[in-house]
């Protein structure tokens, strides 16, 4: 029995390029292969080599991604010369390998070659393939599109302001709706999202290099929205007007009755559409804990609203509840300037506090005494001293003298002379 030759793996950099060209995250690609995101990271960086059945499945997936990239490659680059665009060496190697496996003498024709150069390709979100209840739709409802790129196209670098504005325009509207599902307060949802983006602007070098900037901002916004310190603010001691629809009011009341961690897990999984590993990572819990929280949250919702027992129906009801409210986010420029003003204020406050502390320390050192004066101790009882002795009985002469003094006049004689005995 002859074993078919294995599909050659492209270099690590080529593997990452193929994944990014298909608009797939490491988590999505890992779910297709059946491994973890860290394993895919090791394969793409060259720290580990794919082996066994997982390696074969990974190689076949990269091969299919390479075919899709070749199918969607534009043909306008050779319009002037009329010659077909040259294929990369990796693509040629894959074609040759398939030809040897099929026993063909020449490279077979691509069945989808007629679709080349048709413009942008809509890439579906496959992050929920392993989820039992099927595909999810993010609350924005906008599909992600990928324009075909040429191999020699130069990528235009964005300035930090432009990159921040693009991230804010893409994430802020949906993030305000998601935060509203967590809090039930429109103004608090908007403030939490603005505060999250202000923190992201202050740490923009870190956020720009993050693998998922939208997830970074979403986690900060959820933390700000669920902070227990909001209950101390006077304006948040009274509830806001509920939704106009009776069913929406019941759903919002049910969500607000859930514990914050259960509510956040339900919104992330059934509302936003994240997978279980991503939900667990964002809520800082294990996958088993996230599953338990999700199950208890669904049971609580289904107990009060039996028509939402189906997860798919619950997902669309959450989308509708968040979309019916007129929630608008501020302009990106306003958020950036507000964050900069806040940073300047706290910087100046820190400088003023430091100056006051230094001045107080200097004044204390200047007015402090230079020598030590021991305090006067309090009186102490002296032990071992005998008590005073009382006078004894009078002698005969002392009694006579006392009687003589008593017999004399009060003024006494003018002159007292001693009398002889």
């Amino acid at each position: 029995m002859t074993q078919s030759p294995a599909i050659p793996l492209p270099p690590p950099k080529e593997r990452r390029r193929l994944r990014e060209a298909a608009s797939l995250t490491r988590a999505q690609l890992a779910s297709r292969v059946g491994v973890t995101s860290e394993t895919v990271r090791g394969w793409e960086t060259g720290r580990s080599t794919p082996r066994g059945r997982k390696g074969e499945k990974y190689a076949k997936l990269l091969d299919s991604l390479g075919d899709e990239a070749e199918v969607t490659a534009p043909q306008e680059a050779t319009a002037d010369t009329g010659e077909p665009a040259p294929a990369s060496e990796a693509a040629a190697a894959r074609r040759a390998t398939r030809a040897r496996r099929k026993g063909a003498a020449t490279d077979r024709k691509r069945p989808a070659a007629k679709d080349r150069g048709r413009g942008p390709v809509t890439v579906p979100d496959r992050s929920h393939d392993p989820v039992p209840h099927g595909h999810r739709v993010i609350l924005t409802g906008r599909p992600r599109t990928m324009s075909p790129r040429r191999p020699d196209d130069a990528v235009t670098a964005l300035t930090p302001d432009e990159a921040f504005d693009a991230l804010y325009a893409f994430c802020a509207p949906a993030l305000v709706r998601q935060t509203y599902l967590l809090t039930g307060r429109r103004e608090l949802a908007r403030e939490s999202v603005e505060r999250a983006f202000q923190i992201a602007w202050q740490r923009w070098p870190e956020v720009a290099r993050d693998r998922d900037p939208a997830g970074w901002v979403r986690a900060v916004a959820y933390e700000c929205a669920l902070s227990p310190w909001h209950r101390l603010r006077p304006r948040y001691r009274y509830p806001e007007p509920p939704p106009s629809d009776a069913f929406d009011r019941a759903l919002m009341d049910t969500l607000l009755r859930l514990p914050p961690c259960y509510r956040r897990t339900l919104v992330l999984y059934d509302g936003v559409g994240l997978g279980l590993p991503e939900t667990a990572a964002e809520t800082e819990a294990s996958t088993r804990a996230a599953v338990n929280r999700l199950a208890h949250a669904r049971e609580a919702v289904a107990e009060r609203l039996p028509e939402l027992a189906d997860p798919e129906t619950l997902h669309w009801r959450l989308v509708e509840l968040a979309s019916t409210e007129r929630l608008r986010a501020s302009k990106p420029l306003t958020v950036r300037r507000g964050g900069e003003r806040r940073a300047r204020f706290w910087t100046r406050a820190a400088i003023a506090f430091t100056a006051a502390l230094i001045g107080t320390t200097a004044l204390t050192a200047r007015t402090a005494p230079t020598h030590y004066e021991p305090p006067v101790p309090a009186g102490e009882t002296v032990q071992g001293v005998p008590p005073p002795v009382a006078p004894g009985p009078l002698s005969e002469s002392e009694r006579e003298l006392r009687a003589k003094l008593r017999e004399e006049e009060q003024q006494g004689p003018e002159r007292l002379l001693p009398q002889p005995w």
Side-chain angles (χ1 to χ4, degrees), residues 255-336:
L255 290 177
L256 296 180
R257 287 176 179 269
L258 295 175
C261 57
Y262 289 12
R263 195 187 322 154
R264 184 174 181 178
T265 303
L266 183 68
V267 170
L268 285 174
Y269 190 77
D270 284 330
V272 180
L274 297 183
L276 284 175
E278 292 81 3
T279 302
E282 191 159 325
T283 55
E284 298 180 354
S286 62
T287 306
R288 180 175 299 180
V291 171
N292 293 334
R293 293 174 181 177
L294 181 63
H296 288 301
R298 285 179 174 176
E299 290 177 1
V301 174
E303 182 179 357
R304 300 194 63 185
L305 302 172
E307 55 270 24
L308 298 183
D310 183 20
E312 199 70 28
T313 306
L314 175 61
H315 165 68
W316 288 111
R317 288 302 304 177
L318 291 176
V319 174
E320 293 176 2
L321 175 60
S323 302
T324 52
E325 296 295 331
R326 309 187 66 176
L327 304 171
R328 296 182 180 181
S330 302
K331 300 294 182 181
L333 182 61
T334 305
V335 175
R336 280 195 288 109

Side-chain angles (χ1 to χ4, degrees), residues 37 58 86 98 173 310 374 384:
S37 302
Y58 180 59
R98 286 193 297 269
D310 183 20

Side-chain angles (χ1 to χ4, degrees), residues 405 408-416:
L405 292 175
E408 295 290 340
E409 297 180 0
Q410 186 177 3
Q411 297 296 330
E414 296 180 1
R415 183 176 182 184
L416 293 177

Side-chain angles (χ1 to χ4, degrees), residues 48-305:
S48 60
T49 304
R51 301 180 185 277
R53 297 181 179 178
K54 302 296 184 182
E56 295 178 2
K57 191 174 182 180
Y58 180 59
K60 292 180 181 179
L61 180 58
L62 290 180
D63 189 64
S64 63
L65 294 180
D67 293 344
E68 295 177 3
E70 292 175 9
V71 168
T72 57
Q75 300 295 323
E76 291 84 358
T78 58
D80 298 336
T81 59
E83 299 178 358
S88 61
E89 297 180 0
R94 288 194 297 270
R95 288 198 300 269
T97 303
R98 286 193 297 269
R100 288 195 301 269
R101 293 172 58 189
K102 295 290 184 179
T106 58
D107 195 13
R108 68 179 183 272
K109 184 178 180 182
R110 299 287 188 272
K114 60 183 179 179
D115 296 332
R116 294 182 180 178
R118 283 193 174 183
V121 180
T122 301
V123 181
D125 187 4
R126 298 185 177 91
S127 59
H128 297 281
D129 289 344
V131 180
H133 52 274
H135 177 62
R136 291 284 180 261
V137 179
I138 301 179
L139 289 177
T140 54
R142 296 181 297 178
R144 296 181 298 172
T145 58
M146 179 188 66
S147 299
R149 296 181 180 177
R150 304 177 185 176
D152 55 347
D153 282 347
V155 180
T156 305
L158 297 177
T159 62
D161 297 352
E162 295 173 349
F164 176 84
D165 294 349
L167 179 64
Y168 184 87
F170 180 77
C171 299
L175 196 53
V176 173
R177 301 189 190 100
Q178 299 166 21
T179 313
Y180 171 71
L181 295 179
L182 289 178
T183 60
R185 295 181 176 273
R186 303 165 183 83
E187 190 64 22
L188 179 58
R190 186 184 62 81
E191 289 183 1
S192 301
V193 173
E194 290 184 5
R195 180 58 185 151
F197 274 98
Q198 289 175 0
I199 296 175
W201 179 240
Q202 295 174 7
R203 306 178 183 178
W204 184 246
E206 173 189 350
V207 178
R209 289 179 176 85
D210 193 86
R211 293 178 296 175
D212 186 13
W216 194 98
V217 177
R218 180 174 59 242
V220 178
Y222 285 7
E223 292 292 338
C224 295
L226 297 177
S227 175
W229 296 104
H230 291 304
R231 68 185 67 177
L232 302 179
R233 304 173 64 178
R235 61 183 300 182
Y236 292 108
R237 293 179 182 176
Y238 305 99
E240 288 189 357
S244 57
D245 186 69
F247 189 83
D248 291 344
R249 288 197 301 269
L251 178 57
M252 178 59 68
D253 182 64
T254 304
L255 290 177
L256 296 180
R257 287 176 179 269
L258 295 175
C261 57
Y262 289 12
R263 195 187 322 154
R264 184 174 181 178
T265 303
L266 183 68
V267 170
L268 285 174
Y269 190 77
D270 284 330
V272 180
L274 297 183
L276 284 175
E278 292 81 3
T279 302
E282 191 159 325
T283 55
E284 298 180 354
S286 62
T287 306
R288 180 175 299 180
V291 171
N292 293 334
R293 293 174 181 177
L294 181 63
H296 288 301
R298 285 179 174 176
E299 290 177 1
V301 174
E303 182 179 357
R304 300 194 63 185
L305 302 172

